[in-house]
Amino acid sequence: MQTIAVTGPRQLTSQQRAKAVADLQGLRIYPNWLVGDASGLDELARSIAQTHHLNLQIYEKQSELPYRAQGAERSTRMIKALAVLHGSLHAWPNKTAPHKLRPSRSWSTRAAGSGTWGTIALAVGLGIPVKLHPLVEIDIPLWLQSEQLTIL
């Protein structure tokens, strides 16, 4: 597996930022990174990938879409590309998953505004391996099957 995608929060505390940077530095072994255009975790990942001259594919929001659909559409595009490349998703959640969220092969309306968890649920629904890097102590949803999930 040579390709990873990353997802995480737009806002990070200084402690969360330090953990995310350390984790991302450890992922330099993967030459191909798929990353969104958001601030926060996406921004850190883009910076590290560029610094280390990794093959970086940036997924941008489509401004012609309704604002509330832009992030979900961008993440869906990224995860579907990751599935084709047989990569894995690395995710940095900083809160527990929305209670009603379940894996799906399309974007779930039950993501309740959590792009990170919506992206995780989509990846699981498409059979993509997920590696969690929790930024805070969280309860792992039962739908994250052990054969697809690694907690780091």
Side-chain angles (χ1 to χ4, degrees):
M1 209 174 319
Q2 299 290 311
T3 303
I4 63 168
V6 302
T7 187
R10 290 185 305 274
Q11 296 182 6
L12 300 161
T13 66
S14 57
Q15 185 178 14
Q16 291 171 355
R17 180 181 172 85
K19 180 188 182 332
V21 166
D23 291 347
L24 286 163
Q25 291 284 4
L27 297 175
R28 294 177 302 174
I29 61 170
Y30 298 100
N32 305 307
W33 287 26
L34 311 182
V35 182
D37 64 349
S39 58
L41 192 284
D42 285 0
E43 187 174 27
L44 290 175
R46 290 191 310 269
S47 175
I48 289 168
Q50 290 167 340
T51 297
H52 297 288
H53 308 288
L54 302 174
N55 182 20
L56 176 64
Q57 177 68 46
I58 299 172
Y59 286 80
E60 297 179 352
K61 288 182 178 178
Q62 303 297 315
S63 60
E64 68 276 2
L65 295 174
Y67 180 76
R68 295 183 65 106
Q70 291 177 16
E73 187 278 335
R74 174 202 57 215
S75 295
T76 298
R77 226 177 332 113
M78 181 178 77
I79 293 303
K80 287 187 175 182
L82 183 66
V84 169
L85 297 168
H86 305 288
S88 61
L89 175 66
H90 286 258
W92 283 262
N94 67 352
K95 59 187 171 189
T96 299
H99 177 68
K100 294 182 179 183
L101 182 65
R102 298 291 180 270
S104 175
R105 296 181 63 79
S106 60
W107 192 266
S108 175
T109 58
R110 295 183 174 184
S114 176
T116 301
W117 280 108
T119 304
I120 294 167
L122 179 61
V124 171
L126 292 172
I128 295 170
V130 175
K131 304 196 186 296
L132 279 188
H133 305 258
L135 294 170
V136 296
E137 193 169 319
I138 60 170
D139 292 326
I140 306 300
L142 294 176
W143 49 261
L144 276 174
Q145 299 173 12
S146 61
E147 65 268 10
Q148 283 185 275
L149 174 68
T150 304
I151 300 176
L152 303 169

